[in-house]
Amino acid sequence: MRMVDLIRKKQEGLPLTREEIRFFTEGYVGNEIPDYQAAALLMAIWFKGMDRDETAELTFAIRDSGEKLDFSEIKGIRADKHSTGGVGDKTSLIVTPMVASCGIKVAKISGRGLGHTGGTVDKLESIPGFRTDIPKDEFTDIVNRIGIAIVGQNREVAPADKKLYALRDVTSTIDSIPLIVSSIMGKKLAADDDAIVLDVKTGSGSFMKTKEESRKLAELLVDTGKKAGKKIMALITDMDRPLGEYVGNALEVREAIETLKGNGPEDLNEICEVLSGATLMLSGDASTLEEGRRMAAKTIRDGSALRKFREMIKAQGGNPEVTEDYSLFGEAPVIRAIPAKASGFISAMDTEAIGKASLLLGAGRSTMADVIDETAGIRILKKTGDYAEKGEPAAVFYTSDERRLLDAEAVYDNALTYSAERPAPRPLILDRVE
Ligand code: URA
């Protein structure tokens, strides 16, 4: 088999076989296929796509490229919730203790942020002492004892995705549906979960900007999960504005804690209840999503989800007192109100640009080597649909470096569109794929 023939086949829009796909992934991980040929194939896939069977084969090849996590020692139903990536998306911090306090086991492998999107591992590491790199036996033991643990992606899980993702990042081939599906599901399927709920984001802050593209992505994700024998469903949710009020690591953990206490913003509350309800339904604990949602809402009212979150912090070496004393997170030395540049209703928010503004303040990385400023980020005071008077604060910036303010403010200002008319409200949950 020759790589050059595979590239030509895909250029002509023909489907690759299972053997050809494995020849590619195994050869690439084994450093036998050079970057330039892998890049040429990715570009051919970007243009010509892949059918459902090819996408599933690429996913399984990525899953099989590294270690598979064996969770058989974890007793009970194991469920995971995964988001395709967004801005201000702290739902994993809230949904996982909600479902764990209902008895579902959550053994979660999460990612770090890259580009304009945030990552659960970075957020958790803003809790003093919290460890995300715990050994497998300790991880299993914590999940068996308290029902929940969240760790970072081990180097050995899906190494083909690690290499391919880095190559896609620099060859402008990230936004290809079969490549996104195989990347997400290749990693998810390496973990041994019974049920998976996917939160497929749509809009200006997500990889898929239109509802049609997001629906296609959701359908292919669900189809691939089913081919692997998983119970799986996807919700398509709005990312045309940031979720909640805060963007940035420690700021988002604080907002997640407030939500667990029942004081969360409406949009965040709603999405968390629905994602938890879907997880409980898929795991067999609730017969409908509505029933699951009611069970999940109760864990906020009776304080059990917050207690579960505190238990997880303690088990993973963090200081659980952060839930009562936010000063333990530390505070950014520079806090600056950002005025609205015009009077009018905010009619649109370029959410990707808001993610970039937060990154410029220090809350994210431009390369994997960058160090995160845990206290940096943004509090959004005016969101789509709100009225702003010129000069009144539209946002508050948090950073450790005053020199970062100027660039971030320019990006933030450009992200907001003002209009005389109030925009039509947009639902938060746009669709569901089962
Ligand atoms: N998240 C992933 O893990 N991979 C992608 O390709 C996109 C989002």
Side-chain angles (χ1 to χ4, degrees):
M1 220 176 272
R2 294 189 321 152
M3 202 42 204
V4 67
D5 299 327
L6 267 60
I7 297 167
R8 171 48 59 121
K9 198 171 172 191
K10 192 36 81 182
Q11 276 175 322
E12 290 173 355
L14 298 170
L16 301 176
T17 64
R18 177 179 194 274
E19 289 68 35
E20 287 166 336
I21 289 170
R22 295 227 167 202
F23 170 79
F24 164 57
T25 53
E26 286 165 17
Y28 191 48
V29 172
N31 296 321
E32 285 145 24
I33 293 169
D35 283 340
Y36 54 81
Q37 284 191 313
L41 184 62
L42 291 178
M43 191 57 81
I45 294 172
W46 191 89
F47 276 111
K48 297 291 182 180
M50 281 182 137
D51 65 26
R52 284 176 177 239
D53 289 339
E54 282 178 287
T55 306
E57 287 303 342
L58 180 58
T59 305
F60 301 156
I62 289 175
R63 173 197 64 193
D64 297 342
S65 68
E67 187 189 335
K68 298 223 202 51
L69 301 167
D70 172 10
F71 290 161
S72 55
E73 284 169 34
I74 295 175
K75 299 166 199 82
I77 303 281
R78 302 176 297 268
D80 194 5
K81 165 257 153 207
H82 180 82
S83 153
T84 57
V87 178
D89 180 5
K90 66 281 291 174
T91 51
S92 287
L93 302 175
I94 305 158
V95 170
T96 52
M98 283 170 93
V99 299
S101 63
C102 293
I104 301 293
K105 292 283 166 49
V106 180
K108 189 164 173 56
I109 318 281
S110 281
R112 294 190 183 276
L114 188 67
H116 72 281
T117 66
T120 302
V121 167
D122 294 324
K123 290 171 200 178
L124 285 171
E125 285 180 355
S126 71
I127 298 170
F130 196 97
R131 292 181 299 130
T132 59
D133 58 348
I134 45 188
K136 165 91 198 317
D137 287 352
E138 192 183 345
F139 180 58
T140 308
D141 177 57
I142 296 173
V143 180
N144 272 332
R145 242 180 336 107
I146 66 166
I148 179 172
I150 304 179
V151 294
Q153 190 190 341
N154 172 312
R155 266 189 312 280
E156 317 307 330
V157 173
D161 176 62
K162 247 194 166 132
K163 260 192 109 170
L164 286 172
Y165 196 91
L167 190 61
R168 287 165 60 205
D169 206 14
V170 292
T171 54
S172 191
T173 51
I174 293 274
D175 54 344
S176 147
I177 290 180
L179 294 180
I180 294 177
V181 169
S182 54
S183 166
I184 292 177
M185 294 306 291
K187 285 180 293 230
K188 286 288 120 186
L189 296 179
D192 193 10
D193 286 306
D194 303 302
I196 304 170
V197 172
L198 298 162
D199 181 6
V200 176
K201 299 290 184 194
T202 190
S204 60
S206 80
F207 290 113
M208 297 290 115
K209 306 293 182 205
T210 67
K211 195 180 152 198
E212 292 66 40
E213 281 178 316
S214 303
R215 175 141 190 124
K216 255 199 238 163
L217 174 63
E219 282 173 355
L220 205 52
L221 285 163
V222 168
D223 186 65
T224 308
K226 285 201 168 143
K227 282 193 166 87
K230 299 289 175 187
K231 286 187 187 156
I232 184 165
M233 72 177 283
L235 294 162
I236 300 176
T237 71
D238 188 37
M239 192 32 76
D240 223 23
R241 62 207 135 154
L243 193 52
E245 262 180 48
Y246 289 91
V247 185
N249 298 288
L251 294 171
E252 288 191 41
V253 179
R254 284 172 57 162
E255 187 171 37
I257 294 167
E258 279 303 309
T259 306
L260 288 167
K261 288 178 179 173
N263 308 322
E266 223 176 288
D267 58 349
L268 185 56
N269 240 341
E270 183 182 340
I271 285 200
C272 290
E273 275 184 15
V274 173
L275 288 170
S276 302
T279 311
L280 291 166
M281 181 183 74
L282 218 54
S283 307
D285 274 31
S287 46
T288 61
L289 198 149
E290 263 319 303
E291 189 193 341
R293 191 173 168 173
R294 280 194 298 276
M295 287 165 69
K298 184 166 172 285
T299 69
I300 300 288
R301 278 198 311 278
D302 67 14
S304 55
L306 179 67
R307 281 196 297 280
K308 192 56 74 185
F309 189 62
R310 282 174 61 94
E311 280 177 46
M312 175 180 76
I313 296 176
K314 187 156 179 254
Q316 294 193 229
N319 183 352
E321 287 313 306
V322 287
T323 66
E324 305 311 313
D325 178 2
Y326 296 151
S327 74
L328 294 170
F329 285 106
E331 189 164 66
V334 182
I335 301 177
R336 189 73 49 86
I338 303 302
K341 292 296 171 299
S343 293
F345 290 100
I346 310 277
S347 58
M349 301 178 96
D350 177 347
T351 307
E352 180 168 342
I354 292 171
K356 282 190 181 141
S358 174
L359 186 152
L360 289 172
L361 291 169
R365 299 182 189 81
S366 299
T367 70
M368 283 313 270
D370 286 353
V371 176
I372 282 194
D373 175 355
E374 284 163 351
T375 59
I378 301 174
R379 178 176 185 193
I380 299 156
L381 300 175
K382 301 286 178 187
K383 284 176 78 167
T384 309
D386 291 340
Y387 185 82
E389 197 68 56
K390 186 175 175 183
E392 75 167 312
V396 179
F397 283 2
Y398 300 77
T399 184
S400 298
D401 183 349
E402 190 146 8
R403 289 167 303 179
R404 290 174 174 267
L405 289 171
L406 219 58
D407 283 351
E409 186 169 354
V411 171
Y412 197 87
D413 286 344
N414 274 331
L416 303 188
T417 307
Y418 295 83
S419 82
E421 308 284 311
R422 187 193 288 275
R426 178 174 154 114
L428 265 176
I429 317 283
L430 292 122
D431 213 339
R432 173 171 158 178
V433 176
E434 287 179 64

PDB file of all heavy atoms in Angstrom, residues 87-99:
ATOM      1  N   VAL A  87     -17.459  28.992  24.721  1.00  0.00           N
ATOM      2  CA  VAL A  87     -16.922  30.105  25.511  1.00  0.00           C
ATOM      3  C   VAL A  87     -17.805  30.275  26.756  1.00  0.00           C
ATOM      4  O   VAL A  87     -19.018  30.434  26.636  1.00  0.00           O
ATOM      5  CB  VAL A  87     -16.901  31.399  24.662  1.00  0.00           C
ATOM      6  CG1 VAL A  87     -16.401  32.582  25.478  1.00  0.00           C
ATOM      7  CG2 VAL A  87     -16.050  31.203  23.409  1.00  0.00           C
ATOM      8  N   GLY A  88     -17.192  30.211  27.922  1.00  0.00           N
ATOM      9  CA  GLY A  88     -17.960  30.297  29.174  1.00  0.00           C
ATOM     10  C   GLY A  88     -18.680  28.998  29.476  1.00  0.00           C
ATOM     11  O   GLY A  88     -19.578  28.943  30.318  1.00  0.00           O
ATOM     12  N   ASP A  89     -18.281  27.925  28.792  1.00  0.00           N
ATOM     13  CA  ASP A  89     -18.974  26.640  28.948  1.00  0.00           C
ATOM     14  C   ASP A  89     -18.387  25.873  30.130  1.00  0.00           C
ATOM     15  O   ASP A  89     -17.423  25.122  29.979  1.00  0.00           O
ATOM     16  CB  ASP A  89     -18.839  25.850  27.642  1.00  0.00           C
ATOM     17  CG  ASP A  89     -19.545  24.504  27.721  1.00  0.00           C
ATOM     18  OD1 ASP A  89     -20.208  24.247  28.739  1.00  0.00           O
ATOM     19  OD2 ASP A  89     -19.427  23.722  26.765  1.00  0.00           O
ATOM     20  N   LYS A  90     -19.000  26.098  31.317  1.00  0.00           N
ATOM     21  CA  LYS A  90     -18.517  25.407  32.517  1.00  0.00           C
ATOM     22  C   LYS A  90     -19.492  24.294  32.921  1.00  0.00           C
ATOM     23  O   LYS A  90     -19.537  23.878  34.083  1.00  0.00           O
ATOM     24  CB  LYS A  90     -18.260  26.409  33.651  1.00  0.00           C
ATOM     25  CG  LYS A  90     -19.430  27.151  34.262  1.00  0.00           C
ATOM     26  CD  LYS A  90     -19.971  28.330  33.491  1.00  0.00           C
ATOM     27  CE  LYS A  90     -19.112  29.537  33.387  1.00  0.00           C
ATOM     28  NZ  LYS A  90     -19.711  30.580  32.481  1.00  0.00           N
ATOM     29  N   THR A  91     -20.285  23.795  31.971  1.00  0.00           N
ATOM     30  CA  THR A  91     -21.354  22.850  32.318  1.00  0.00           C
ATOM     31  C   THR A  91     -20.817  21.551  32.939  1.00  0.00           C
ATOM     32  O   THR A  91     -21.464  20.988  33.817  1.00  0.00           O
ATOM     33  CB  THR A  91     -22.206  22.490  31.084  1.00  0.00           C
ATOM     34  OG1 THR A  91     -21.325  22.086  30.037  1.00  0.00           O
ATOM     35  CG2 THR A  91     -23.034  23.652  30.604  1.00  0.00           C
ATOM     36  N   SER A  92     -19.624  21.087  32.489  1.00  0.00           N
ATOM     37  CA  SER A  92     -19.123  19.812  33.047  1.00  0.00           C
ATOM     38  C   SER A  92     -18.935  19.911  34.554  1.00  0.00           C
ATOM     39  O   SER A  92     -19.137  18.932  35.272  1.00  0.00           O
ATOM     40  CB  SER A  92     -17.780  19.436  32.402  1.00  0.00           C
ATOM     41  OG  SER A  92     -17.992  18.998  31.086  1.00  0.00           O
ATOM     42  N   LEU A  93     -18.541  21.103  35.048  1.00  0.00           N
ATOM     43  CA  LEU A  93     -18.293  21.277  36.491  1.00  0.00           C
ATOM     44  C   LEU A  93     -19.591  21.159  37.288  1.00  0.00           C
ATOM     45  O   LEU A  93     -19.565  20.914  38.488  1.00  0.00           O
ATOM     46  CB  LEU A  93     -17.679  22.653  36.766  1.00  0.00           C
ATOM     47  CG  LEU A  93     -16.367  22.981  36.062  1.00  0.00           C
ATOM     48  CD1 LEU A  93     -15.960  24.416  36.338  1.00  0.00           C
ATOM     49  CD2 LEU A  93     -15.284  22.028  36.539  1.00  0.00           C
ATOM     50  N   ILE A  94     -20.719  21.377  36.634  1.00  0.00           N
ATOM     51  CA  ILE A  94     -22.013  21.391  37.327  1.00  0.00           C
ATOM     52  C   ILE A  94     -22.771  20.081  37.082  1.00  0.00           C
ATOM     53  O   ILE A  94     -23.300  19.465  38.004  1.00  0.00           O
ATOM     54  CB  ILE A  94     -22.836  22.605  36.836  1.00  0.00           C
ATOM     55  CG1 ILE A  94     -22.021  23.895  37.038  1.00  0.00           C
ATOM     56  CG2 ILE A  94     -24.181  22.699  37.552  1.00  0.00           C
ATOM     57  CD1 ILE A  94     -22.451  25.052  36.163  1.00  0.00           C
ATOM     58  N   VAL A  95     -22.785  19.654  35.802  1.00  0.00           N
ATOM     59  CA  VAL A  95     -23.557  18.454  35.433  1.00  0.00           C
ATOM     60  C   VAL A  95     -22.988  17.200  36.098  1.00  0.00           C
ATOM     61  O   VAL A  95     -23.738  16.357  36.596  1.00  0.00           O
ATOM     62  CB  VAL A  95     -23.572  18.283  33.890  1.00  0.00           C
ATOM     63  CG1 VAL A  95     -24.154  16.942  33.489  1.00  0.00           C
ATOM     64  CG2 VAL A  95     -24.349  19.421  33.241  1.00  0.00           C
ATOM     65  N   THR A  96     -21.651  17.074  36.134  1.00  0.00           N
ATOM     66  CA  THR A  96     -21.084  15.824  36.666  1.00  0.00           C
ATOM     67  C   THR A  96     -21.425  15.627  38.158  1.00  0.00           C
ATOM     68  O   THR A  96     -21.868  14.529  38.515  1.00  0.00           O
ATOM     69  CB  THR A  96     -19.563  15.726  36.399  1.00  0.00           C
ATOM     70  OG1 THR A  96     -18.927  16.905  36.871  1.00  0.00           O
ATOM     71  CG2 THR A  96     -19.273  15.549  34.915  1.00  0.00           C
ATOM     72  N   PRO A  97     -21.293  16.649  39.034  1.00  0.00           N
ATOM     73  CA  PRO A  97     -21.730  16.380  40.416  1.00  0.00           C
ATOM     74  C   PRO A  97     -23.248  16.210  40.534  1.00  0.00           C
ATOM     75  O   PRO A  97     -23.725  15.489  41.424  1.00  0.00           O
ATOM     76  CB  PRO A  97     -21.240  17.597  41.210  1.00  0.00           C
ATOM     77  CG  PRO A  97     -20.886  18.636  40.225  1.00  0.00           C
ATOM     78  CD  PRO A  97     -20.585  17.925  38.933  1.00  0.00           C
ATOM     79  N   MET A  98     -24.007  16.849  39.631  1.00  0.00           N
ATOM     80  CA  MET A  98     -25.472  16.661  39.688  1.00  0.00           C
ATOM     81  C   MET A  98     -25.823  15.192  39.435  1.00  0.00           C
ATOM     82  O   MET A  98     -26.571  14.583  40.185  1.00  0.00           O
ATOM     83  CB  MET A  98     -26.177  17.552  38.641  1.00  0.00           C
ATOM     84  CG  MET A  98     -26.277  19.013  39.036  1.00  0.00           C
ATOM     85  SD  MET A  98     -26.837  20.060  37.661  1.00  0.00           S
ATOM     86  CE  MET A  98     -28.598  20.098  37.915  1.00  0.00           C
ATOM     87  N   VAL A  99     -25.264  14.603  38.376  1.00  0.00           N
ATOM     88  CA  VAL A  99     -25.642  13.218  38.071  1.00  0.00           C
ATOM     89  C   VAL A  99     -24.976  12.246  39.047  1.00  0.00           C
ATOM     90  O   VAL A  99     -25.570  11.226  39.408  1.00  0.00           O
ATOM     91  CB  VAL A  99     -25.375  12.824  36.594  1.00  0.00           C
ATOM     92  CG1 VAL A  99     -26.173  13.690  35.650  1.00  0.00           C
ATOM     93  CG2 VAL A  99     -23.911  12.858  36.226  1.00  0.00           C
TER      94      VAL A  99
END
